[in-house]
């Protein structure tokens, strides 16, 4: 679930048409029953008694024993799905080219890329020298690097498999290389708690420097001279709040704090400007922000604030030098709900906000959401969303913000529903990297030659399409845009995915997937695991519910705070559309969502349990009110801008109290439910689904099993490594497929 809580198939001869309940195995007689230790919580005159809050005691052996018992129960309940899980895992594996590599990206005279090797769980980071000075498009043509073929001069920067050896978990949280190419800093997580150990490798010798930084957060960057490393630190509530500087060769205990954010409701991060002349420190929430710049050519001036947070403007800034004048490209929501882009001389920010002169570059448009903008030496590149589709637009810098400004140019694609996003760019490059995908087009990597007078529309150069093995043909599948009608009349967009040969006879199974928070969009994108459901005759619906960003800023704002219930009713409307579509048997519909989408799963389970045969809630945020009422818990204070602050606002408290899943479990025949979590998850603590499952079992009047699947060595994304990831997805899909009677390949 983004920076806060964030989760997401050739003809066969027959399909299963059995009703959902027929394939759900009977649960063992005695699921784990946690003892009840009543704890009362009183806010705004309301008292809630929580019998299972003691399960939060992570170091309590009784808690660990209970969680292990839950997993044993889950294993017993789902034992009959083992062959189905293995089948789906093998289908994922057999469709994946296991020995593969990324498309090389050029930076400072080197081509950087990663390799995957069959049988290995983690990627290997590599590089090879680049030819030419980078002045022509030809110099930006990646070298031909083939799977399994040695590359002359290849240098291994980091082998994730070697790093992970003997560790219960491994994840690479970021890396940075000095401009001279000599030093490589990388951050590794060995627990799944997203706190990293930073090490620095001397690429000339292959040895590690003695500098080791523990418990860092995401974010790494070197100073231009390579002598200073910038990194982030999170506080005890897992909120990134400090930007620190480490001078290589000095004790880590002497590292200085460049910036510290004390407002518990604000998130902090940093990065380099596109031209790498500035360090940008970004502080913000979902409603306003603040950017501070450190100029590397005059560090003695310290951090300089552009627009203070008191201006209550949500913005991103990109500084660059144009014809000797320092410019700032602003993507902002000042009098522009969907955001717009302005060009401002840096000197203007010394004036009061009301007196500053901002030149409009991209005007506000109710039908277009501006996601962000960056620059190269010659062009502005904008990421925008129109008609729900994410796309890229390039405009020459010459004349930008004046009457002489040229129109933006978009690379064109053939499909109706697709995603085209930035895959990276270098400031002095004549090309930008674009990643393209759709629901049934595997990811393609293009280099887009930026438009010029001689090439007014630019040019797309295909560098790679991710291979899909096993006889995959995109023509065997269909994706359509449909619309459900919510209770208030709002039209909710749906992406409906199915096999092209599926009969519309009302007997098929269906799955509805949703998220709907933090303005995150569920954009079209290819997924190998999902093919296993589609090939079993499942109609897969992605519900683009309010709270997401698919339809612009208003779509997000209409599904947050005191409008959050729209997210849930939209999802139910999507379910009703599927049930009435003629494609499926209404008794064979499952639902899936993760993190904030897990809250969605919990809410719809309470509101309409009869509409679902099964629900898979991945790392579900189901005890949201308890969490947000305690600002000491990870991320809680940061959530106030998304859900409201129930501590100070009784209306918010009352509103949340009526939808949070844990507190609204009722006497009802709940469907088969799997709550999937990880012991070391710091975004949604394991205790939330652990408590929820206990309450569901205690109150359900039905007989369908309710299970807790817990990964004891995993984080928010589950266990580490691609094979474990495939096993996790196979488990989730097998649980759904079994419950909705979709076990057999067509």
């Amino acid at each position: 679930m983004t920076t806060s809580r964030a989760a997401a198939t050739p003809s066969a001869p027959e399909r299963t048409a059995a009703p959902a309940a027929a394939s759900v195995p009977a649960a063992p007689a005695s699921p784990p029953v946690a003892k009840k230790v009543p704890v009362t919580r009183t806010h705004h005159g309301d008292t809630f008694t929580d019998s299972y809050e003691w399960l939060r005691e992570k170091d309590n052996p009784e808690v660990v024993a209970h969680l292990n018992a839950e997993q044993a129960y889950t294993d017993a309940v789902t034992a009959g799905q083992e062959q189905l899980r293995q089948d789906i895992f093998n289908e994922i594996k057999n469709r994946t080219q296991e020995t593969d590599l990324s498309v090389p990206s050029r930076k400072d005279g080197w081509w950087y890329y990663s390799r995957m090797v069959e049988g290995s769980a983690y990627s290997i980071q590599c590089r090879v020298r680049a030819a030419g000075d980078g002045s022509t498009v030809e110099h930006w043509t990646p070298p031909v690097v083939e799977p399994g073929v040695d590359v002359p001069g290849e240098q291994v920067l980091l082998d994730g498999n070697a790093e992970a050896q003997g560790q219960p978990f491994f994840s690479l949280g970021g890396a940075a290389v000095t401009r001279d190419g000599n030093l490589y800093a990388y951050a590794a997580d060995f627990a799944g708690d997203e706190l990293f150990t930073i090490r620095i490798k001397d690429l000339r010798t292959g040895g590690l420097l003695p500098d080791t930084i523990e418990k860092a957060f995401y974010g790494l960057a070197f100073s231009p001279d390579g002598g200073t490393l910038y990194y982030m630190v999170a506080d005890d509530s897992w909120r990134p709040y400090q930007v620190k500087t480490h001078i290589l060769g000095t004790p880590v205990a002497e590292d200085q704090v460049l910036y510290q954010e004390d407002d518990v409701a604000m998130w902090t991060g940093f990065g380099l400007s596109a031209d790498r002349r500035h360090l940008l420190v970004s502080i913000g929430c979902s409603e306003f922000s603040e950017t501070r710049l450190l100029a590397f050519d005059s560090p003695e001036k310290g951090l300089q604030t552009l627009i203070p947070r008191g201006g209550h403007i949500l913005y991103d800034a990109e500084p660059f030098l144009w014809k000797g004048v320092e410019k700032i490209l602003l993507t902002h929501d000042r009098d522009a709900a969907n955001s717009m882009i302005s060009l401002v001389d840096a000197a203007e920010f010394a004036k009061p906000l009301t007196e500053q002169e901002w030149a409009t570059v991209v005007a506000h448009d109710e039908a277009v959401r501006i996601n962000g903008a960056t620059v190269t030496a010659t062009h502005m590149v904008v990421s925008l969303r129109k008609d729900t589709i994410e796309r890229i637009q390039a405009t020459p810098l010459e004349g930008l913000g004046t009457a002489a400004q040229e129109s933006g140019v978009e690379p064109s694609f053939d499909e109706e529903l697709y995603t085209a996003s930035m895959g990276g760019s270098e400031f002095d490059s004549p090309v930008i990297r674009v990643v393209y995908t759709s629901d049934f087009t595997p990811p393609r990597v293009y280099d887009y030659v930026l438009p010029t007078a001689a090439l007014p529309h630019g040019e797309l150069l295909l560098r790679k399409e991710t291979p899909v093995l096993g006889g995959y043909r995109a023509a065997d599948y269909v994706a359509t845009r449909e619309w459900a009608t919510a209770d208030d009349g709002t039209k909710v967009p749906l992406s409906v995915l199915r096999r092209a040969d599926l009969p519309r006879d009302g007997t098929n199974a269906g799955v509805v997937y949703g998220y709907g928070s933090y303005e995150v969009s569920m954009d079209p994108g290819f997924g190998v695991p999902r093919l296993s459901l589609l090939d079993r005759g499942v109609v897969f619906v992605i519900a683009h519910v309010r709270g997401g960003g698919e339809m612009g800023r208003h779509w997000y704002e209409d599904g947050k705070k005191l409008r959050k219930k729209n997210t849930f009713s939209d999802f139910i409307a999507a379910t009703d559309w599927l049930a009435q579509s003629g494609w499926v048997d209404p008794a064979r519909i499952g639902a899936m969502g993760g993190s904030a989408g897990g809250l969605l799963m919990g809410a719809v389970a309470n509101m309409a349990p009869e509409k679902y045969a099964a629900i898979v809630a991945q790392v579900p945020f189901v005890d949201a009110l308890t969490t947000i009422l305690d600002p000491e818990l990870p991320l809680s204070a940061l959530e106030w801008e998304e859900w409201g602050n129930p501590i100070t606002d009784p209306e918010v408290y009352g509103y949340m109290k009526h939808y949070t899943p844990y507190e609204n479990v009722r006497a009802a025949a709940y469907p088969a439910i799997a709550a999937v979590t990880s012991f070391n998850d710091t975004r949604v603590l394991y205790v939330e689904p652990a408590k929820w499952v206990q309450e569901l079992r205690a109150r359900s009047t039905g007989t369908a099993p309710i299970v807790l699947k817990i990964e004891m060595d995993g984080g928010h994304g589950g266990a580490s490594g691609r094979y474990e990831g495939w096993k996790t997805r196979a488990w989730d899909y097998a649980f759904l497929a079994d419950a909705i009677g979709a076990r057999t390949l067509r």
Side-chain angles (χ1 to χ4, degrees):
M1 161 178 125
T2 70
T3 51
S4 290
R5 310 258 171 212
T9 310
S11 295
E14 60 181 335
R15 58 187 172 82
T16 300
S23 61
V24 177
S30 54
V33 178
K35 68 180 181 182
K36 292 187 177 183
V37 182
V39 175
T40 59
R41 181 196 74 207
T42 301
H43 285 272
H44 307 295
D46 175 75
T47 297
F48 173 69
T49 300
D50 189 340
S51 297
Y52 304 111
E53 178 62 14
W54 72 274
L55 290 172
R56 191 178 301 277
E57 300 167 12
K58 189 175 183 180
D59 296 328
N60 184 341
E62 192 174 352
V63 171
V64 174
H66 172 77
L67 297 176
N68 285 325
E70 286 280 17
Q71 185 58 50
Y73 175 73
T74 297
D75 291 341
V77 168
T78 63
Q81 299 165 18
E82 176 56 34
Q83 185 59 55
L84 181 56
R85 287 196 291 267
Q86 189 61 49
D87 289 346
I88 294 174
F89 174 83
N90 288 335
E91 289 160 18
I92 297 170
K93 188 173 185 291
N94 293 338
R95 283 186 169 118
T96 303
Q97 181 170 294
E98 294 187 65
T99 297
D100 203 1
L101 66 152
S102 64
V103 178
S105 297
R106 180 168 177 149
K107 191 179 190 70
D108 295 326
W110 292 86
W111 289 102
Y112 290 88
Y113 55 97
S114 64
R115 285 185 178 276
M116 293 295 294
V117 177
E118 185 174 0
S120 296
Y122 302 95
S123 62
I124 304 168
Q125 309 302 316
C126 308
R127 72 177 182 179
V128 66
R129 282 281 186 186
D133 61 6
S135 60
T136 68
V137 172
E138 288 72 23
H139 293 165
W140 293 85
T141 301
V144 177
V145 183
E146 299 178 1
V149 178
D150 291 337
V151 179
E154 180 180 86
Q155 182 178 16
V156 174
L157 308 179
L158 186 74
D159 184 343
N161 302 287
E163 292 288 318
Q165 191 168 7
Q167 301 287 349
F169 182 94
F170 172 74
S171 177
L172 189 63
V177 184
T178 53
R179 293 191 188 181
D180 61 14
N182 291 335
L183 300 178
Y184 176 80
Y186 64 96
D189 173 10
F190 298 107
D193 58 3
E194 297 180 86
L195 294 177
F196 300 91
T197 297
I198 299 173
R199 296 188 174 97
I200 303 170
K201 184 177 182 180
D202 189 329
L203 298 177
R204 295 163 295 188
T205 67
L208 292 174
L209 301 187
D211 313 60
T212 300
I213 302 169
E214 301 286 354
K215 296 185 185 267
F217 195 66
Y218 295 99
L220 283 177
F222 279 109
S223 60
D225 64 3
T228 300
L229 182 69
Y230 299 92
Y231 65 96
M232 286 294 310
V233 174
D235 64 14
D236 291 339
S237 67
W238 201 79
R239 177 183 65 96
Y241 80 119
Q242 285 184 339
V243 181
K244 300 190 77 171
T245 61
H246 173 70
I247 299 174
L248 272 61
T250 66
V252 173
E254 297 178 4
D255 289 359
Q256 298 295 305
V257 176
L258 176 67
Y259 178 78
Q260 177 169 313
E261 177 54 51
D262 294 323
D263 187 335
V264 296
M266 301 292 275
W267 183 281
T268 305
F270 72 86
L272 298 178
S273 60
D275 60 9
R276 295 191 286 176
R277 296 171 53 250
H278 292 85
L279 184 80
L280 282 71
V281 177
S282 302
I283 309 105
C285 60
S286 65
E287 298 185 351
F288 57 89
S289 59
E290 180 176 282
T291 298
R292 302 187 181 206
L293 305 183
L294 178 70
F296 287 130
D297 60 2
S298 53
E300 70 281 355
K301 294 181 180 178
L303 291 169
Q304 303 294 306
T305 301
L306 294 180
I307 305 168
R309 67 192 72 183
H312 283 269
I313 297 173
L314 187 64
Y315 70 99
D316 292 317
E318 185 66 77
F320 66 102
L321 202 61
W322 182 250
K323 296 183 178 181
V325 178
E326 193 74 51
K327 300 280 189 177
I328 306 291
L329 191 69
L330 284 180
T331 302
H332 63 91
D333 68 349
R334 187 183 188 187
D335 301 320
N338 270 341
S339 291
M340 60 182 291
I341 301 177
S342 300
L343 187 63
V344 187
D345 287 355
E348 290 293 310
F349 293 103
K351 304 175 183 177
L353 183 60
T354 55
E355 298 176 14
Q356 295 172 15
E357 295 185 8
W358 297 11
T360 297
V361 171
V362 177
H364 180 250
D365 188 332
E366 290 289 349
V368 178
R369 177 70 165 113
I370 304 298
N371 295 327
T374 188
V375 295
T376 70
T378 57
H379 286 75
M380 172 186 71
V381 183
V382 178
S383 170
L384 56 88
R385 184 178 302 278
K386 184 178 181 181
D387 300 326
T388 77
I389 300 302
E390 184 179 357
R391 54 191 78 197
I392 299 295
Q393 190 177 91
T395 306
L397 291 180
E398 187 66 51
L400 199 69
T402 72
Q405 177 178 319
E406 297 183 26
S407 298
V409 177
E410 293 183 15
S412 61
F413 301 97
D414 295 334
E415 295 180 275
E416 176 189 4
L417 303 177
Y418 65 87
T419 301
S421 56
M422 280 285 289
S425 64
E426 284 298 301
F427 185 71
D428 293 319
S429 173
V431 304
I432 60 171
R433 185 65 50 88
V434 175
V435 178
Y436 174 91
T437 186
S438 73
D439 290 309
F440 298 118
T441 300
R444 294 174 181 167
V445 176
Y446 291 95
D447 279 335
Y448 179 57
V449 181
L450 293 165
T452 61
L455 197 68
H457 299 292
E459 183 181 9
L460 278 171
L461 304 173
L462 179 63
R463 301 307 191 192
K464 179 181 180 178
E465 178 173 317
T466 301
V468 182
L469 309 181
Y472 171 76
R473 297 192 318 138
D476 291 337
Y477 306 89
V478 175
T480 63
R481 168 72 78 235
E482 308 292 346
W483 300 84
T485 302
D487 291 343
D488 61 2
T490 299
K491 297 295 184 181
V492 181
L494 312 175
S495 295
V496 180
L497 283 53
R498 58 178 174 82
R499 281 192 59 93
D501 59 358
L502 195 70
R504 193 169 188 172
D505 60 6
T507 67
N508 303 299
V511 169
V512 188
Y513 176 85
Y515 186 75
S517 293
Y518 305 102
E519 203 177 357
V520 172
S521 299
M522 298 292 101
D523 292 322
F526 185 78
V528 164
R530 191 170 56 209
L531 299 176
S532 291
L533 285 182
L534 300 182
D535 282 354
R536 287 172 170 80
V538 172
V539 178
F540 195 97
V541 175
I542 302 170
H544 304 287
V545 295
R546 281 175 282 186
E550 290 90 342
M551 301 285 283
R553 182 73 178 185
H554 75 90
W555 196 250
Y556 164 54
E557 292 177 340
D558 213 21
K560 65 182 291 194
K561 290 189 174 179
L562 296 177
R563 299 175 182 173
K564 187 62 201 171
K565 292 180 183 178
N566 287 334
T567 302
F568 316 139
S569 57
D570 284 0
F571 190 88
I572 292 172
T575 305
D576 290 340
W577 178 92
L578 180 59
Q580 299 161 14
S581 68
W583 285 108
V584 307
D585 177 350
R588 299 180 64 199
I589 295 176
M592 175 183 283
S595 202
L599 183 152
L600 169 60
M601 293 300 99
V604 300
N606 289 334
M607 294 167 67
E610 73 283 356
K611 295 181 185 292
Y612 304 98
I615 293 175
V616 172
Q618 303 154 312
V619 289
F621 189 35
V622 286
D623 193 18
L625 189 52
T626 299
T627 296
I628 297 174
L629 282 168
D630 186 351
E632 299 300 317
L633 290 176
L635 297 170
S636 292
L638 295 168
E639 300 288 357
W640 296 337
E641 296 300 333
E642 181 72 19
W643 315 93
N645 187 343
I647 300 173
T648 60
D649 190 332
E651 185 179 13
V652 169
Y653 177 88
Y655 188 79
M656 291 189 70
K657 181 75 184 295
H658 282 91
Y659 73 69
T660 46
Y662 177 57
E663 296 175 338
N664 286 280
V665 174
R666 59 188 175 89
Y670 282 89
I673 293 178
V676 182
T677 189
S678 295
F679 192 53
N680 292 324
D681 190 347
T682 50
R683 296 181 184 238
V684 179
L685 301 184
Y686 72 88
V687 67
E688 297 200 23
K691 291 165 58 176
W692 181 51
V693 162
Q694 289 296 308
E695 194 69 14
L696 283 168
R697 289 197 194 119
R699 292 182 178 269
S700 180
T701 61
T703 59
I706 296 169
V707 301
L708 178 72
K709 178 180 182 289
I710 183 163
E711 174 58 59
M712 296 302 286
D713 292 316
H716 195 59
S720 65
R722 59 174 172 171
Y723 297 110
E724 292 302 315
W726 295 347
K727 289 177 184 177
T728 297
R729 186 56 59 87
W731 194 98
D732 294 347
Y733 280 178
F735 186 90
L736 277 178
D738 185 60
I740 61 178
R743 296 181 62 95
T744 307
L745 285 169
R746 287 179 52 80

